[in-house]
Amino acid sequence: MDGLLAVSWLVPFLPLLAFALLTLFGSRLGQGAAWLSILFTGVAAVLAVLLLSPASTYLQDQQHPYQWGFSWLQIGSVTVSLGVSLTGLNLLMLPIVSVIALLVQVYAVGYMHGDARYPRFFAYMSLFTGSMLALVVSPNFLQLYIFWEMVGLCSYLLIGFWYQRSQAAKAAKKAFIVTRIGDVGLLVAIFLIFAATGSFEFSAVIQAVQSRQLGGGFVTAIALLIFLGAAGKSAQFPLHVWLPDAMEGPTPVSALIHAATMVAAGVYLVALTFPIFAASAAAMQVVAWIGAISAFLAATIALAQTDFKRVIAYSTISQLGYMMLGLGVGSITAGMFHLTTHAVFKALLFLAVGAVIHEADTQELDEVSGLWGKMKITAITFFIGALALSGIPPFAGFWSKDGILAAVVSQGNWGLAVLGFLTVLLTAFYIWRIGFRLFFGEQRAPHGYEKVHEAPLMMMVPMGLLALGAIGTGFFGGNISRLLGSGAVPEAGWGVAILATVLALVGIGAAFLTYLRPGFGEAAVARLLGPVWIAFKRKYWIDEGYQAGVVRPTLALAAGVRQADGNIIDTAVESVGAAPGAIGEGVARAQTGRAQTYLAVGTIAVVLLVIVSVIGGSR
Amino acid sequence: MIGLGPYVALGAVLFAIGAYGALTRHNPIAVLMCIEMMLNAANINFVAFSSFGGSIDGQIFVIFSLVVAACEAATGLALVLGVYRNRDIQEIGDMHLLKW
């Protein structure tokens, strides 16, 4: 089976090859473009799954991960290599990314059907898949950063895929700029690491940290800078503002990039560089608190949004916050386990609401409801996803979320624990609010309720498979902890499990009472909460705050600089240019056009020269 | 036997007359004639120095110089005629279109 390890580089390479082929020949393939992309991603996914067993055996036998690479750059005495490193963490990410990418691409065959730029869409999807896979197998910081930016680029391209809509173009720009703020942190961290250790390799850096070669303050600074990059990518407070806007992209994109994989890259990065964080208690505190605050804030915002796709986006922020919380309290296993289950059930939720958007052609809760009669299968898959998200046993979310909560409780930080448990309640409420409002109640849709029917088979099959995953992945916690080798999933204990489940059931019950019992409704909740509800609905005015505090001052500064450039610098430069012209204008008058004048001047000049030279010569 | 001095003096006088005429005459054909005069002043100097210096070179240069002068006169006259026919200009002072 070692032969398989030798071709592990094919996993990221195949989707990238598909991108190249689609870019060159995509327009000629037409609808076939999708199948090319699916074929290549499919082979990569099969390979990624098959790799699990030989690579983990290798890991156990050799006590170090399988490495493959080639030297890419030689800078002085430093060799920068590109390649593949199959650690437990990487081995976990490979199947998650490739299998979900495969399912989402199959779904997109139905969802994107008839789009004018159909091959382009699949080219971008392939590029994303390949870049993400290359990111998660990186053996060093430089390769990680290259593909970190590549997935950011794909995110930008795909959010703005329908660039004709100005909202989508703006959202793409916003996502790119906000994540870039985080990326600068990561880049500076990489520079600092290189300056201190002279190496980009993860193993060398982690060894340097563990052997305490680096100072405590220095390690904290590096950890916080890395976390800044992770928070930008994983949309953690206060850099979370781009993710809800990113919902302007096509729904398969939201499911793949903005729920299951790319946004999880931040969590992956923290898990990958975990020894650096572990060496700094302050950095761990920051990670845990930012995670908990993100989880709680995003969940409260999700309560009041009327765009149901955005609710799920806020839910993603909230769940990513849980993962960060898990890492922050020291349990890689809990964080990565939740990443795995979340990838499955959140992709499922996105695909299910995508089916609704595809059929009803709206994302507004106020415009569509009562779809149960028309879309039973979609509704069932959605509710499976909702059960998994709210953490009802035995669905996937229950196991992983309880792992995180147990880790928090065992650490004994009650502030974090309270936020974590409150978020469970809120999560259950907001997701079932969507479910009840979409599928029950008055039967209506913007283009006529009668026209709505189930989505095409190509969309239903991935939803079904993911629904099975949302039920089943929760039972793989033991396998994941063995693969990662980072300790067992924290034991929830009956207390935590029962409390979390009861809170989730209370949330579901509250949503049921609010939305399905006649005479009560959102208006009543809004009245009850008053200004608090308005704060939720307006997302705590964070966007407005950024607009007033960052965007407008920046634009004003830019306008001022532009004015200064136009008035002061341009004037100076233009004067320098104009001066020779003016001098020339004056001197040109000497050119009269009269040949006799020229001749006279010439003659007089020669005579003078002769006189001068004669006088000079006689001295 | 006349010495070198009178030949050179003749050349100088001829050149001065030519230069004066070229600068002051209004008729373009007269100006051309004056230019020929200056050329011939140079030719006299060539021949004189050649004859007194014992080398034949100067006299050969004069042959070339005469050919050049003939060509110059031909083109000069053609230009003067052309300007006269197209623009009806007879005064050299009015020929001042070639400027900024």
Side-chain angles (χ1 to χ4, degrees):
Chain A
M1 285 299 264
D2 270 3
L4 259 181
L5 290 178
V7 294
S8 54
W9 56 273
L10 277 175
V11 176
F13 179 75
L14 282 175
L16 290 174
L17 181 65
F19 164 71
L21 291 176
L22 285 174
T23 310
L24 293 174
F25 311 112
S27 52
R28 254 175 275 171
L29 286 170
Q31 301 287 310
W35 296 109
L36 182 89
S37 175
I38 288 169
L39 175 71
F40 279 65
T41 309
V43 175
V46 169
L47 208 55
V49 173
L50 288 180
L51 270 172
L52 274 174
S53 132
S56 54
T57 313
Y58 185 95
L59 199 60
Q60 269 163 9
D61 293 350
Q62 311 280 327
Q63 290 301 315
H64 66 83
Y66 174 80
Q67 295 254 7
W68 175 91
F70 59 92
S71 152
W72 179 50
L73 279 178
Q74 181 86 36
I75 309 165
S77 59
V78 182
T79 306
V80 178
S81 61
L82 292 185
V84 171
S85 167
L86 298 179
T87 63
L89 190 63
N90 299 353
L91 282 171
L92 174 63
M93 291 299 285
L94 281 181
I96 299 176
V97 173
S98 54
V99 170
I100 290 181
L102 176 65
L103 292 175
V104 169
Q105 287 189 12
V106 172
Y107 176 90
V109 171
Y111 192 89
M112 299 303 287
H113 184 81
D115 193 281
R117 290 153 69 237
Y118 190 83
R120 180 74 60 89
F121 180 82
F122 282 94
Y124 289 162
M125 285 297 248
S126 289
L127 179 63
F128 170 78
T129 309
S131 306
M132 187 71 204
L133 290 168
L135 190 163
V136 299
V137 296
S138 299
N140 58 46
F141 274 110
L142 212 60
Q143 182 180 341
L144 177 110
Y145 189 75
I146 292 169
F147 290 103
W148 183 270
E149 293 295 343
M150 292 264 283
V151 291
L153 168 73
C154 294
S155 165
Y156 168 79
L157 291 172
L158 285 165
I159 294 169
F161 188 72
W162 289 318
Y163 59 84
Q164 301 91 339
R165 300 204 315 231
S166 76
Q167 285 299 322
K170 272 187 202 152
K173 212 159 54 181
K174 184 171 175 183
F176 199 71
I177 292 171
V178 174
T179 50
R180 185 62 5 89
I181 294 168
D183 294 350
V184 170
L186 176 59
L187 190 60
V188 172
I190 293 174
F191 289 157
L192 286 178
I193 287 169
F194 185 74
T197 67
S199 173
F200 290 116
E201 301 295 318
F202 292 131
S203 46
V205 173
I206 284 165
Q207 207 188 1
V209 171
Q210 281 171 341
S211 62
R212 308 210 172 273
Q213 281 176 20
L214 309 174
F218 189 71
V219 171
T220 304
I222 288 178
L224 289 178
L225 285 167
I226 291 177
F227 183 63
L228 183 62
K233 211 56 145 190
S234 286
Q236 293 297 287
F237 175 82
L239 294 178
H240 66 278
V241 289
W242 66 271
L243 187 60
D245 285 15
M247 296 301 120
E248 292 294 337
T251 303
V253 172
S254 309
L256 177 60
I257 301 184
H258 304 119
T261 55
M262 187 192 82
V263 290
V267 177
Y268 165 79
L269 178 66
V270 175
L272 184 71
T273 56
F274 193 75
I276 301 178
F277 286 87
S280 161
M284 291 291 272
Q285 284 287 318
V286 170
V287 173
W289 275 103
I290 292 285
I293 291 169
S294 299
F296 182 74
L297 280 188
T300 56
I301 295 172
L303 293 177
Q305 300 304 308
T306 56
D307 178 331
F308 55 80
K309 204 174 158 192
R310 266 171 194 258
V311 172
I312 301 183
Y314 277 108
S315 165
T316 305
I317 298 174
S318 174
Q319 297 301 310
L320 290 164
Y322 265 125
M323 296 172 210
M324 288 294 187
L325 174 60
L327 295 172
V329 295
S331 177
I332 300 184
T333 317
M336 291 306 293
F337 185 26
H338 197 53
L339 188 156
T340 313
T341 58
H342 173 260
V344 175
F345 67 69
K346 188 51 67 62
L348 169 64
L349 283 170
F350 265 113
L351 297 191
V353 298
V356 172
I357 295 167
H358 188 67
E359 292 303 322
D361 199 24
T362 178
Q363 303 184 12
E364 275 301 317
L365 270 181
D366 297 334
E367 292 178 7
V368 56
S369 57
L371 292 175
W372 174 258
K374 289 286 189 184
M375 305 179 77
K376 283 202 175 56
I377 302 174
T378 306
I380 290 168
T381 55
F382 179 89
F383 284 121
I384 290 174
L387 284 168
L389 174 63
S390 33
I392 302 296
F395 294 91
F398 167 76
W399 306 99
S400 54
K401 196 185 282 183
D402 279 14
I404 291 172
L405 291 173
V408 175
V409 168
S410 69
Q411 210 213 21
N413 189 327
W414 293 109
L416 295 174
V418 168
L419 283 179
F421 279 107
L422 271 181
T423 307
V424 173
L425 177 73
L426 298 173
T427 306
F429 184 85
Y430 69 66
I431 197 65
W432 286 85
R433 163 177 176 260
I434 302 292
F436 289 143
R437 287 188 65 175
L438 270 185
F439 295 107
F440 299 106
E442 186 195 340
Q443 299 190 335
R444 64 187 162 151
H447 302 300
Y449 183 76
E450 288 312 311
K451 285 190 192 153
V452 177
H453 47 79
E454 284 288 4
L457 186 66
M458 289 301 289
M459 290 165 67
M460 302 310 289
V461 170
M463 284 159 62
L465 290 172
L466 284 170
L468 290 180
I471 299 169
T473 35
F475 298 107
F476 290 101
N479 303 50
I480 289 172
S481 74
R482 260 196 306 285
L483 184 60
L484 293 177
S486 57
V489 180
E491 245 347 285
W494 285 105
V496 171
I498 290 173
L499 180 57
T501 310
V502 166
L503 282 172
L505 287 173
V506 168
I508 297 171
F512 178 83
L513 290 179
T514 311
Y515 296 104
L516 287 190
R517 219 184 49 171
F520 205 61
E522 200 150 294
V525 180
R527 259 199 311 282
L528 191 69
L529 290 174
V532 180
W533 184 262
I534 294 171
F536 294 168
K537 202 172 178 61
R538 303 295 303 274
K539 312 156 200 165
Y540 299 104
W541 296 278
I542 291 172
D543 272 324
E544 284 82 353
Y546 277 130
Q547 198 70 27
V550 179
V551 177
R552 283 211 206 94
T554 309
L555 289 179
L557 179 68
V561 170
R562 192 182 155 180
Q563 281 285 321
D565 183 52
N567 291 345
I568 300 168
I569 297 176
D570 271 10
T571 311
V573 172
E574 276 165 19
S575 317
V576 170
I583 295 168
E585 277 294 310
V587 178
R589 302 291 148 191
Q591 186 189 6
T592 58
R594 292 168 208 274
Q596 282 180 319
T597 318
Y598 301 160
L599 189 58
V601 172
T603 311
I604 292 165
V606 169
V607 169
L608 284 177
L609 277 176
V610 168
I611 291 170
V612 167
S613 66
V614 166
I615 294 171
S618 69
R619 277 219 184 122
Chain B
M1 177 81 184
I2 309 168
L4 179 59
Y7 293 103
V8 178
L10 173 66
V13 169
L14 207 57
F15 185 86
I17 293 170
Y20 178 75
L23 289 177
T24 55
R25 297 292 298 196
H26 291 260
N27 187 332
I29 294 174
V31 172
L32 272 177
M33 286 160 68
C34 290
I35 292 170
E36 294 299 319
M37 219 188 255
M38 288 190 280
L39 278 168
N40 280 322
N43 287 346
I44 285 171
N45 275 15
F46 268 131
V47 175
F49 282 114
S50 163
S51 168
F52 283 90
S55 160
I56 200 76
D57 293 354
Q59 298 181 36
I60 292 167
F61 269 118
V62 169
I63 307 294
F64 285 110
S65 171
L66 283 175
V67 175
V68 172
C71 297
E72 185 231 298
T75 42
L77 283 170
L79 282 170
V80 169
L81 264 176
V83 171
Y84 173 67
R85 283 192 186 151
N86 286 313
R87 302 239 166 213
D88 196 20
I89 291 174
Q90 302 176 34
E91 289 274 318
I92 196 162
D94 295 336
M95 294 182 189
H96 55 73
L97 293 172
L98 280 177
K99 57 187 173 187
W100 74 85

